[in-house]
mmCIF file of all heavy atoms in Angstrom:
data_model
loop_
_atom_site.group_PDB
_atom_site.id
_atom_site.type_symbol
_atom_site.label_atom_id
_atom_site.label_comp_id
_atom_site.label_asym_id
_atom_site.label_seq_id
_atom_site.Cartn_x
_atom_site.Cartn_y
_atom_site.Cartn_z
ATOM 1 N N ARG W 13 116.226 164.129 139.172
ATOM 2 C CA ARG W 13 115.408 165.287 139.513
ATOM 3 C C ARG W 13 116.293 166.522 139.455
ATOM 4 O O ARG W 13 117.448 166.483 139.892
ATOM 5 C CB ARG W 13 114.814 165.106 140.904
ATOM 6 C CG ARG W 13 113.795 163.998 140.938
ATOM 7 C CD ARG W 13 113.350 163.663 142.336
ATOM 8 N NE ARG W 13 112.286 162.675 142.263
ATOM 9 C CZ ARG W 13 112.499 161.389 142.013
ATOM 10 N NH1 ARG W 13 113.718 160.941 141.850
ATOM 11 N NH2 ARG W 13 111.494 160.544 141.922
ATOM 12 N N ASP W 20 121.986 181.975 147.830
ATOM 13 C CA ASP W 20 123.109 182.877 148.098
ATOM 14 C C ASP W 20 124.415 182.135 147.883
ATOM 15 O O ASP W 20 124.452 180.909 147.980
ATOM 16 C CB ASP W 20 123.066 183.377 149.552
ATOM 17 C CG ASP W 20 121.802 184.170 149.832
ATOM 18 O OD1 ASP W 20 121.463 185.023 148.997
ATOM 19 O OD2 ASP W 20 121.142 183.890 150.842
ATOM 20 N N GLU W 25 134.217 174.956 152.214
ATOM 21 C CA GLU W 25 135.570 174.474 152.482
ATOM 22 C C GLU W 25 135.664 173.126 151.801
ATOM 23 O O GLU W 25 134.842 172.253 152.061
ATOM 24 C CB GLU W 25 135.796 174.341 153.981
ATOM 25 C CG GLU W 25 135.770 175.680 154.705
ATOM 26 C CD GLU W 25 135.342 175.526 156.161
ATOM 27 O OE1 GLU W 25 134.926 174.425 156.552
ATOM 28 O OE2 GLU W 25 135.422 176.530 156.874
ATOM 29 N N GLY W 27 138.016 169.723 150.900
ATOM 30 C CA GLY W 27 139.181 168.996 151.343
ATOM 31 C C GLY W 27 139.325 169.124 152.845
ATOM 32 O O GLY W 27 138.643 169.942 153.477
ATOM 33 N N LEU W 132 134.046 158.750 136.785
ATOM 34 C CA LEU W 132 133.214 159.929 137.059
ATOM 35 C C LEU W 132 132.039 159.580 137.966
ATOM 36 O O LEU W 132 131.518 160.431 138.677
ATOM 37 C CB LEU W 132 132.680 160.521 135.743
ATOM 38 C CG LEU W 132 133.730 161.128 134.830
ATOM 39 C CD1 LEU W 132 133.097 161.594 133.541
ATOM 40 C CD2 LEU W 132 134.425 162.296 135.521
ATOM 41 N N TYR W 133 131.606 158.330 137.932
ATOM 42 C CA TYR W 133 130.515 157.900 138.810
ATOM 43 C C TYR W 133 131.032 157.248 140.081
ATOM 44 O O TYR W 133 130.272 156.636 140.826
ATOM 45 C CB TYR W 133 129.600 156.920 138.071
ATOM 46 C CG TYR W 133 128.625 157.595 137.124
ATOM 47 C CD1 TYR W 133 127.926 156.866 136.182
ATOM 48 C CD2 TYR W 133 128.416 158.971 137.187
ATOM 49 C CE1 TYR W 133 127.033 157.482 135.318
ATOM 50 C CE2 TYR W 133 127.532 159.586 136.326
ATOM 51 C CZ TYR W 133 126.856 158.850 135.402
ATOM 52 O OH TYR W 133 125.968 159.446 134.562
ATOM 53 N N GLN O 339 127.044 161.284 144.121
ATOM 54 C CA GLN O 339 128.460 160.994 144.298
ATOM 55 C C GLN O 339 129.146 162.228 144.884
ATOM 56 O O GLN O 339 128.669 163.357 144.703
ATOM 57 C CB GLN O 339 129.105 160.660 142.942
ATOM 58 C CG GLN O 339 128.518 159.444 142.264
ATOM 59 C CD GLN O 339 129.056 158.137 142.842
ATOM 60 O OE1 GLN O 339 129.928 158.157 143.697
ATOM 61 N NE2 GLN O 339 128.519 157.017 142.382
ATOM 62 N N HIS O 341 131.738 163.935 144.033
ATOM 63 C CA HIS O 341 132.130 165.009 143.106
ATOM 64 C C HIS O 341 130.929 165.851 142.666
ATOM 65 O O HIS O 341 131.084 167.016 142.294
ATOM 66 C CB HIS O 341 132.859 164.435 141.887
ATOM 67 C CG HIS O 341 132.005 163.581 141.002
ATOM 68 N ND1 HIS O 341 131.219 164.097 140.016
ATOM 69 C CD2 HIS O 341 131.799 162.237 140.976
ATOM 70 C CE1 HIS O 341 130.581 163.115 139.414
ATOM 71 N NE2 HIS O 341 130.909 161.971 139.976
ATOM 72 N N ARG O 354 128.455 174.521 160.319
ATOM 73 C CA ARG O 354 129.388 175.637 160.535
ATOM 74 C C ARG O 354 128.620 176.953 160.733
ATOM 75 O O ARG O 354 128.881 177.711 161.664
ATOM 76 C CB ARG O 354 130.329 175.774 159.321
ATOM 77 C CG ARG O 354 131.332 176.909 159.443
ATOM 78 C CD ARG O 354 131.935 177.230 158.086
ATOM 79 N NE ARG O 354 130.914 177.716 157.156
ATOM 80 C CZ ARG O 354 131.062 177.739 155.836
ATOM 81 N NH1 ARG O 354 132.158 177.269 155.282
ATOM 82 N NH2 ARG O 354 130.091 178.212 155.067
ATOM 83 N N LYS O 359 118.735 178.860 157.389
ATOM 84 C CA LYS O 359 118.936 179.221 155.991
ATOM 85 C C LYS O 359 120.057 178.375 155.376
ATOM 86 O O LYS O 359 119.955 177.891 154.246
ATOM 87 C CB LYS O 359 119.283 180.706 155.901
ATOM 88 C CG LYS O 359 119.282 181.254 154.509
ATOM 89 C CD LYS O 359 119.542 182.742 154.552
ATOM 90 C CE LYS O 359 119.595 183.302 153.143
ATOM 91 N NZ LYS O 359 119.937 184.721 153.128
ATOM 92 N N GLN O 369 117.188 160.880 144.719
ATOM 93 C CA GLN O 369 117.157 160.515 143.293
ATOM 94 C C GLN O 369 116.668 159.085 143.044
ATOM 95 O O GLN O 369 116.917 158.531 141.977
ATOM 96 C CB GLN O 369 118.555 160.694 142.677
ATOM 97 C CG GLN O 369 119.049 162.117 142.672
ATOM 98 C CD GLN O 369 118.315 163.006 141.688
ATOM 99 O OE1 GLN O 369 117.453 162.554 140.944
ATOM 100 N NE2 GLN O 369 118.643 164.297 141.676
ATOM 101 N N TRP O 370 115.980 158.495 144.001
ATOM 102 C CA TRP O 370 115.445 157.153 143.761
ATOM 103 C C TRP O 370 114.257 157.224 142.800
ATOM 104 O O TRP O 370 113.836 158.305 142.391
ATOM 105 C CB TRP O 370 114.955 156.537 145.071
ATOM 106 C CG TRP O 370 116.032 156.219 146.050
ATOM 107 C CD1 TRP O 370 117.364 156.065 145.791
ATOM 108 C CD2 TRP O 370 115.862 156.030 147.463
ATOM 109 N NE1 TRP O 370 118.025 155.782 146.953
ATOM 110 C CE2 TRP O 370 117.139 155.750 147.983
ATOM 111 C CE3 TRP O 370 114.776 156.058 148.325
ATOM 112 C CZ2 TRP O 370 117.339 155.505 149.339
ATOM 113 C CZ3 TRP O 370 114.973 155.809 149.668
ATOM 114 C CH2 TRP O 370 116.240 155.528 150.170
ATOM 115 N N GLU O 386 134.258 167.060 154.283
ATOM 116 C CA GLU O 386 134.587 168.279 155.045
ATOM 117 C C GLU O 386 133.883 168.346 156.395
ATOM 118 O O GLU O 386 134.277 169.140 157.258
ATOM 119 C CB GLU O 386 134.235 169.529 154.224
ATOM 120 C CG GLU O 386 135.135 169.764 153.027
ATOM 121 C CD GLU O 386 134.756 168.924 151.835
ATOM 122 O OE1 GLU O 386 133.650 168.326 151.834
ATOM 123 O OE2 GLU O 386 135.563 168.845 150.879
#
Side-chain angles (χ1 to χ4, degrees):
Chain W
R13 292 171 175 77
D20 298 314
E25 294 153 352
L132 293 176
Y133 281 166
Chain O
Q339 299 281 356
H341 66 85
R354 180 196 64 198
K359 190 176 178 184
Q369 296 289 357
W370 292 341
E386 290 81 13

